Structure formats: C-alpha cells, structure tokens
Amino acid sequence: MNDDEAIGRRIAHFRKARGMTQVALAQQASISLSLLRKVEQESREATPVLIAAVAKPLAVDVTTLTGQPYDLAGPHRDVIHELIPPVRRVLNYWDVPPALETPPRPAAEILADARAVAHLRQADRNVQALARVPALLMETTAAIHTASAATDKEQLFDAMATMLHPTMSILHATGYDDLATIVADRIAWTAAQWGNPLAVGLAAHTRTSSMLRHGTYDVGLRLIDSARAVLDSAPHRDDATLRMIGSLHLRSADLSARAGSAAGASAHISEARDIAEHLGVETDHLWRNLAFGPTNTAFHDVATAIELGDGARALAVARELRIPDGFPPTRTGHHFMDIARAYLWQGRHEQALASLQRARQLAPQQTRHHPTTREVLRMLVRAHRHTNKPLARFNAWIGAGG
C-alpha cells in the first residue's frame, strides 16, 4: 500500500487546506489533541469514531478520508466496481413500474432468488450477489405494481427486503455510501408498503448503518428506540419478534459505544443476552440477513468494548467465545478484523496479523475492502522495519487487489 493512502495523511491534508490548526480541529471534533497528532503522524490508526468526528468540521465525506471505494483504477481494478452502474440505474425504479420485455415470474420464484442473493452475501460472494441484483430488482418492482393477490404481494415485499438488505451491506462495505443510503430508503418504503412490524425493525437497522459510519449516533438511537417501541407494542410477541428486538438492542449497543457511552452499550448488550437466553437456543437465527442469538451477541460485546477503547476486555470476551460451525463468514470475518485492533493496541503484532489473515480466509472480499484492515496493516508495516514475509504477502494482497 502507498503511504499517501493513509487516513492520517488525508486528515492532515484537508485540515491544512481549510487553514485549521490541530488544536482547532481537535476542539471542533471533540477528540483528544494527542490522539489527533498521533493519527496524523501515523503512529496510531484512525478509528471509525475518529474518522466520523473529524469529517464534519473538515466538511468532507467519511469516504473521502478513508479513500473508498478502493481499487477503482489501474491494472488491478476490482470487478465489483463494474457492477455499480447497473445498480445505480435500477434504483430509479420503485414507485413507477419498469417496462419488462417478459412478464414477471411467480412471486415464489422471485422470493427464492432474493434469498439466494442474501446467501451469497453471507458467504462473502459479493460480486456474484451484486451481479444478480439489477435484473432481479427490476422484476420484483414490476411484479409489485402488477400483483393483485395478497399472498403474492406478501412474498414480493419479502423478496424486496430480503434482496435490498445485503445489497445495502455490500454498497457500504465497498464505499458507495450514496447508493447505500438510497437502498436504505427503498427498504423503508418496502416496510411501509408491506406492513410487517419485523420489516419496520429491519428498515431502522438498515438506516442506522449510515448513521454509525457518519457519526449521527443520537439520531440512530432515537430511530432504533422508535422501531423497538413498535415491536414492543405488538399484541403477540413471538420468537421472530423477540429476535428482531434483540437485533435492535445490538445495534443500539453499537451506537452507544460509538457515542462513548459504556453504560448504554452494556445495558443494550445485557438486554440482548437476556432475550437470547429466554429463547433458549444455542445457535443464531437468520432473518433477512440479520443474525441474532448468543454468538452474535458475544460478537457485539467484543466489538463495543473495542469501540470504547477497552482492548483487554474485548480479548477476554473473545477468548471465551466459541464460534459454531457454519456461522456466516462475513459476520465472523468482521469479528476477527475487530480483534486485530485490540491485539495491535497491546503490541501483539503476530496475533493482530493472524486475526487479519483469519478474516481474509473467512471473508476475503469484505476484508480487503474494509478500512480497518488497511489501517491495522499500515501500523503493522510501520512497526516491522525488518523483513516479515507473512506481513509482506498480506500487504501485497491488499495493494495488488488480488
């Protein structure tokens, strides 16, 4: 990787271009001056919280600082970028039906294909998943506008939500935040049309992905509280409803941790754990690409500790965690990216690299596109002045886009 890609250098560049001192930026971003100096000097990695905090006073997008989307040009251009224009075009259709050359297939067949897209995302097969979205989204939209039977509409709104959630996830992961925001709006529209309370929860969870990334944690918490109130007021809270409420508590824990509230994060993790224990299941359940259960709750416990800067606690929780076979690779891979940061803070560089390698093994596309990977890797490269072949190979993989 080129040092010019360092987030710290980008922050320094835009700060100077705005005529701001480090003191002024630290004050306006409500962060430590010492931390800002270390990030700009590249002796400390830029965390998601810091990036979101400085982006606002610098008047730039978060992706401008992270440098995303990565691998847009050059001999190793990532093929996923070639799939973005068709997705961008098809998102224009939602309230006006597109004209298709052939009539839409039966709703059940469309729903099956939407679930296939979700499974591809869970398996980190982002290119394959996104390649199927434009045509399927066009067909689903057209079918929604022509369906008359209630059962068909139910399946079609289900298909729309099932397909759009992983699409939003892929777009966020690759740095197309503008499109991800549009997809989140489409999910909200779908939820309103569908009338399924679980879809309301899914829409809120989806919208707060952008809020987490851009630092609007207070708005995100209010949105999640509102969605959870809808589910709490349901006359019959079945297991599916409880799982969605649990997922929303986990999202609130993420938002609280990013906002610096250890008490808030702990309270929401505790609520989610109580729900998982009440359900009495040993394995997590997936609903429209959302996983809830004991494993994902533990993952969030680790992640929130890291966001709060408590690497020691995060690693202690991670040591007790037993990940079941077959758990979604993208979720497990993200967990190992998280704990790589905790190992880095403790100076345990071999374990940090091993965690990144594990994340790559599980979810290579996700790992290579994530800013955390590049920031941790940059710190490891700076710390190893002598030859470290495994580190050099990993660095080449990131830089070459292979």
Side-chain angles (χ1 to χ4, degrees):
M1 292 186 301
N2 191 322
D3 279 342
D4 291 338
E5 297 175 353
I7 295 174
R9 289 197 180 192
R10 290 194 178 97
I11 292 172
H13 167 78
F14 286 104
R15 176 180 60 76
K16 294 172 184 176
R18 304 288 186 269
M20 298 176 67
T21 65
Q22 288 181 324
V23 172
L25 179 56
Q27 289 176 342
Q28 291 184 42
S30 300
I31 60 173
S32 159
L33 175 59
S34 173
L35 175 59
L36 175 61
R37 284 173 173 164
K38 289 177 181 177
V39 169
E40 287 196 2
Q41 293 166 358
E42 300 176 66
S43 62
R44 178 69 185 265
E45 90 279 11
T47 65
V49 171
L50 181 138
I51 296 167
V54 300
K56 183 176 180 180
L58 290 177
V60 296
D61 292 333
V62 165
T63 51
T64 300
L65 297 179
T66 61
Q68 294 172 290
Y70 301 127
D71 307 319
L72 269 172
H76 301 289
R77 173 181 168 85
D78 196 311
V79 68
I80 201 164
H81 301 303
E82 299 173 6
L83 303 175
I84 298 301
V87 173
R88 191 181 297 276
R89 284 192 293 271
V90 76
L91 286 173
N92 286 306
Y93 296 100
W94 55 291
D95 55 345
V96 177
L100 302 183
E101 293 182 358
T102 58
R105 292 171 297 154
E109 293 183 23
I110 293 174
L111 177 57
D113 280 1
R115 288 172 175 167
V117 169
H119 288 313
L120 287 169
R121 167 56 183 161
Q122 292 159 14
D124 192 53
R125 297 174 65 186
N126 295 344
V127 171
Q128 296 89 333
L130 205 59
R132 300 179 69 167
V133 167
L136 184 58
L137 185 54
M138 287 278 280
E139 183 181 22
T140 307
T141 304
I144 284 174
H145 284 280
T146 58
S148 56
T151 53
D152 286 347
K153 287 188 174 182
E154 173 79 15
Q155 288 184 317
L156 290 169
F157 285 127
D158 191 346
M160 185 71 82
T162 298
M163 172 187 10
L164 286 179
H165 188 267
T167 300
M168 189 274 319
S169 179
I170 294 169
L171 292 171
H172 260 311
T174 48
Y176 289 97
D177 283 6
D178 61 331
L179 289 184
T181 300
I182 293 173
V183 172
D185 287 341
R186 298 294 183 269
I187 294 176
W189 176 83
T190 300
Q193 300 296 315
W194 189 357
N196 184 336
L198 297 183
V200 174
L202 179 68
H205 192 284
T206 304
R207 284 186 62 196
T208 53
S209 295
S210 177
M211 296 171 188
L212 269 172
R213 190 172 174 91
H214 295 280
T216 52
Y217 313 124
D218 57 336
V219 177
L221 284 166
R222 292 201 302 271
L223 179 61
I224 293 295
D225 285 346
S226 177
R228 202 164 52 239
V230 171
L231 293 166
D232 281 332
S233 64
H236 302 291
R237 297 205 306 172
D238 56 11
D239 287 358
T241 302
L242 288 175
R243 284 192 292 267
M244 180 57 72
I245 292 172
S247 291
L248 293 176
H249 275 296
L250 293 180
R251 178 46 59 91
S252 291
D254 295 338
L255 289 159
S256 297
R258 291 276 179 99
S261 173
S266 177
H268 287 294
I269 291 291
S270 180
E271 290 282 357
R273 188 178 292 114
D274 287 346
I275 292 173
E277 291 176 356
H278 172 79
L279 291 171
V281 294
E282 296 183 0
T283 58
D284 289 50
H285 184 276
L286 283 168
W287 191 84
R288 310 315 179 263
N289 226 42
L290 280 184
F292 180 75
T295 303
N296 206 28
T297 299
F299 279 169
H300 280 265
D301 197 7
V302 171
T304 53
I306 291 170
E307 296 295 356
L308 290 162
D310 193 347
R313 181 180 177 279
L315 292 175
V317 175
R319 279 194 295 270
E320 301 300 319
L321 178 57
R322 298 294 176 266
I323 304 171
D325 293 338
F327 204 77
T330 50
R331 190 65 196 89
T332 308
H334 201 289
H335 167 71
F336 281 103
M337 283 192 294
D338 283 337
I339 62 175
R341 293 169 60 193
Y343 280 128
L344 176 68
W345 297 341
Q346 294 196 345
R348 298 166 66 178
H349 295 165
E350 289 186 7
Q351 291 94 330
L353 178 59
S355 295
L356 290 182
Q357 290 171 327
R358 181 65 174 141
R360 174 187 174 182
Q361 180 185 26
L362 288 161
Q365 294 182 32
Q366 173 180 265
T367 302
R368 197 166 62 78
H369 280 283
H370 205 287
T372 290
T373 303
R374 295 172 184 245
E375 282 295 283
V376 172
L377 182 60
R378 196 182 315 283
M379 295 298 101
L380 294 176
V381 170
R382 286 177 61 85
H384 287 266
R385 298 300 182 186
H386 303 291
T387 301
N388 182 313
K389 291 183 178 179
L391 181 59
R393 284 194 294 268
F394 198 97
N395 191 43
W397 175 69
I398 288 287

